[in-house]
Amino acid sequence: MSLNRRHFFYGSLLAGAVPTGGFGSTPSLKSLGYKSPNEKLNFAAIGSGGQGASNIRAAAPTENIVALCDVDDRRAAQTFNAFPKASKHRDFRVMLDKEANNIDAVIIATPDHMHGMAAMWCMERKKHVYVQKPLVRTIWEARQVRAAAAKYGVATQMGNQGYSNEGTRQCAEIIWNGDIGKVNEVHAWSDRPLWPQGITEIPKEDAVPAGLDWDLWLGVAEKRPFTAGGATKPDRWDGFFYQPFNWRGFYDFGAGALGDMACHILGAPNMALHLSQRKIVGVECIRKEGVSPFQFPKASVIRFDFAPYEDMPALQVFWYDGLKSSPKVEGVPANEWLGDPPMLRATGGQGRRPQAPGPQPGVADFRSPGRVYSKSAFEALEAPGAQLQFPTPNGSVFKGDKGLLTTGTYGEVTRLLPVAKMRDYTMPAPLLTRSPGHMRDFIRACKGGDPACSNFEVAAPFVEWMLLGVIALRHEGKLEYDPAKMRITNNPEANKLLRPTFRKGWDFHPVKIKG
């Protein structure tokens, strides 16, 4: 099928896979204060340690870092020291008031429960926002930040880097080309949680460590005593219960393993199968172990049921977390490597993912530009005597009526199954414009270029169906959802979890949403 013919044939399907306006359109945005591509943006960050530090480093080579905010001096110390000229703050509201005229864009990398509030404060002030996955913690917030981005005319991006990867686009194009037939089942999995979940008792109160503003860390959440849950000495805080990382496992702060990894691993299925455009028939947690009154379970399996879309049939998406190895998927050859492929064990015991021979003959790395399938890499893996080191299990498998496809955590190393089919396979001609990289994508959008690939018009609908799975983890039985009314129709208690509560003193200004 020629490229023009393919564009014509898949036109309606592509509409759901790219940002409003398309990857290749450049709106006239001068009136909104967008900068020339040659001008540097002034970046601020809300959350400067951990993932925030990584995002800041991604922006710093080409842009200015002018303001940094974090409630924990110790977590943020390295970043604060790396940018001595940037102003330093604990409360992002104070930072935005003081630095409003000096900020163009803001990176938000706080715990999930603060994403929506921080993003709204920034967008109200006409600041472009890059918000870490899972964008927000509740469906109501997802709709609010999407509406706010449109109202205030700002550039946006969710931090699910896989949406920028070459393999994610290859996955969509292989499926749209009909190479595995009609897809009616997807299996996606993760080794997360890597933090404690299923805890049933909260440890005794501890003193708040120096440098941490516990009240600001709690933010919109209900007040509660601080606990480290494991300090070995009175003057040394080396245990942690909520903070700095275990918050992901708590209902009040995070979204569990789904919130951590689904926006990555389910990115390729969302793009390729237009899951955000489909009616979701129901969501059910069909297995869970290690339940808790205030935390997500230790492990779970969730089934999402989707209606047909265009010429694509109805399908089921299965999500597994808490795994030690890839799941057994019916119809998939037992000896195939699924999702992230293994690594070759190099001299000294260091594993490296192989590709075509590079600077070290016979040993190279899949972390090459695009992280794409390489025939020579798989030949190296299959060579006699090859010592393999298996990564933690993350990835997905697509089951079509004509074949199988697998891809990695971030949509990398997309390949047919069995992988022997790849020896004579030629990838379809590209349909989707390629991304320059996730942060570069956002920066370009801030300067008036193409909308970012995971802007809120794309990210919010994706997050909405994914967050239904988070709610399903807390209730028995199948949930039925009416998106037009934003309502779970068969479970009043579950319906209450569609929107958050905000602690007094934290002002969230809702945007009126039509319809």
Side-chain angles (χ1 to χ4, degrees):
M1 187 183 295
S2 71
L3 183 57
N4 287 339
R5 169 64 177 154
R6 283 157 54 83
H7 270 290
F8 174 80
F9 186 75
Y10 290 105
S12 61
L13 296 183
L14 284 166
V18 299
T20 301
F23 284 133
S25 63
T26 305
S28 178
L29 298 168
K30 291 183 179 179
S31 62
L32 297 175
Y34 283 67
K35 290 180 175 288
S36 159
N38 296 322
E39 292 183 76
K40 288 189 174 185
L41 295 168
N42 288 340
F43 264 86
I46 302 172
S48 300
Q51 184 61 47
S54 176
N55 296 148
I56 293 163
R57 288 194 299 270
T62 59
E63 315 305 316
N64 300 319
I65 308 299
V66 300
L68 297 171
C69 179
D70 203 290
V71 300
D72 189 337
D73 295 344
R74 293 171 62 176
R75 287 279 288 171
Q78 187 173 358
T79 306
F80 281 4
N81 292 335
F83 300 96
K85 294 183 180 179
S87 61
K88 313 300 191 299
H89 309 267
R90 279 193 175 176
D91 190 329
F92 71 81
R93 299 167 297 182
V94 173
M95 179 184 75
L96 291 172
D97 286 344
K98 287 186 175 181
E99 301 285 351
N101 294 329
N102 194 35
I103 294 172
D104 299 309
V106 184
I107 293 166
I108 298 170
T110 63
D112 298 348
H113 72 295
M114 292 302 294
H115 285 187
M117 175 69 73
M120 290 297 282
W121 272 69
C122 293
M123 290 188 288
E124 287 170 346
R125 290 155 179 79
K126 304 292 182 71
K127 310 306 174 190
H128 310 300
V129 287
Y130 180 105
V131 183
Q132 259 308 318
K133 50 79 187 167
L135 188 61
V136 289
R137 197 176 61 88
T138 67
I139 288 172
W140 181 84
E141 290 173 287
R143 293 196 175 192
Q144 281 291 310
V145 298
R146 180 185 184 184
K151 176 179 179 179
Y152 298 113
V154 295
T156 58
Q157 180 85 304
M158 177 170 72
N160 57 329
Q161 289 83 352
Y163 238 68
S164 294
N165 276 0
E166 173 71 9
T168 300
R169 286 155 174 73
Q170 288 178 334
C171 178
E173 290 159 354
I174 290 170
I175 289 171
W176 297 343
N177 205 46
D179 293 351
I180 64 169
K182 304 289 187 181
V183 177
N184 53 29
E185 205 171 292
V186 173
H187 295 259
W189 61 91
S190 176
D191 62 329
R192 274 31 167 214
L194 301 179
W195 52 89
Q197 284 187 187
I199 295 172
T200 57
E201 294 184 8
I202 298 175
K204 66 178 180 62
E205 181 177 358
D206 289 306
V208 177
L212 170 65
D213 190 317
W214 178 236
D215 190 67
L216 283 178
W217 190 94
L218 286 173
V220 302
E222 181 182 344
K223 293 192 73 169
R224 68 207 67 200
F226 173 83
T227 177
T232 57
K233 296 180 181 179
D235 60 345
R236 180 181 176 189
W237 184 64
D238 58 0
F240 50 93
F241 188 67
Y242 299 115
Q243 195 271 351
F245 186 69
N246 287 353
W247 54 264
R248 289 193 181 280
F250 291 84
Y251 296 154
D252 289 351
F253 306 126
L258 266 170
D260 186 41
M261 294 305 292
C263 289
H264 292 312
I265 297 168
L266 290 172
N270 188 65
M271 181 183 288
L273 299 170
H274 307 285
L275 301 183
S276 297
Q277 284 68 48
R278 295 179 186 236
K279 176 178 173 55
I280 188 161
V281 177
V283 182
E284 183 176 2
C285 178
I286 57 177
R287 185 180 69 81
K288 57 186 171 184
E289 59 183 75
V291 297
S292 162
F294 51 83
Q295 277 196 322
F296 295 100
K298 293 180 179 179
S300 66
V301 181
I302 300 169
R303 187 189 68 240
F304 299 85
D305 297 320
F306 289 91
Y309 178 78
E310 298 286 344
D311 67 341
M312 293 182 168
L315 83 154
Q316 294 182 324
V317 175
F318 293 86
W319 168 264
Y320 311 73
D321 56 41
L323 295 188
K324 303 300 182 185
S325 60
S326 301
K328 304 297 182 183
V329 179
E330 185 178 353
V332 175
N335 60 342
E336 291 291 328
W337 297 311
L338 305 182
D340 293 332
M343 300 177 285
L344 282 176
R345 192 180 299 278
T347 303
Q350 297 297 315
R352 300 191 63 188
R353 295 184 184 180
Q355 62 174 24
Q360 298 180 4
V363 178
D365 191 346
F366 268 135
R367 297 181 182 275
S368 58
R371 299 186 184 183
V372 295
Y373 169 82
S374 163
K375 177 181 175 181
S376 58
F378 277 82
E379 289 176 344
L381 290 174
E382 295 169 349
Q387 297 185 32
L388 304 183
Q389 177 176 313
F390 287 85
T392 52
N394 293 279
S396 61
V397 165
F398 297 72
K399 295 180 68 174
D401 58 11
K402 294 181 181 178
L404 299 162
L405 176 72
T406 189
T407 191
T409 306
Y410 303 98
E412 66 269 57
V413 201
T414 296
R415 59 202 184 274
L416 300 173
L417 293 174
V419 75
K421 289 186 176 182
M422 297 298 292
R423 293 195 177 104
D424 300 315
Y425 181 73
T426 301
M427 290 287 180
L431 280 170
L432 294 168
T433 302
R434 269 43 185 175
S435 169
H438 212 60
M439 184 59 73
R440 301 269 74 76
D441 201 20
F442 173 63
I443 290 169
R444 178 179 62 184
C446 292
K447 296 180 180 182
D450 298 348
C453 65
S454 196
N455 75 72
F456 292 177
E457 283 293 312
V458 174
F462 175 14
V463 166
E464 180 163 330
W465 71 258
M466 184 269 293
L467 287 174
L468 284 172
V470 175
I471 297 175
L473 285 168
R474 300 175 63 174
H475 292 276
E476 299 298 326
K478 185 176 181 178
L479 300 182
E480 297 172 359
Y481 182 60
D482 182 348
K485 296 181 179 179
M486 200 187 76
R487 182 169 173 262
I488 294 172
T489 59
N490 67 331
N491 190 320
E493 289 303 308
N495 194 62
K496 294 177 183 178
L497 300 178
L498 293 174
R499 59 187 298 159
T501 57
F502 298 113
R503 182 157 59 108
K504 187 177 180 180
W506 290 87
D507 300 322
F508 190 107
H509 304 123
V511 174
K512 187 175 182 179
I513 300 175
K514 297 179 181 180

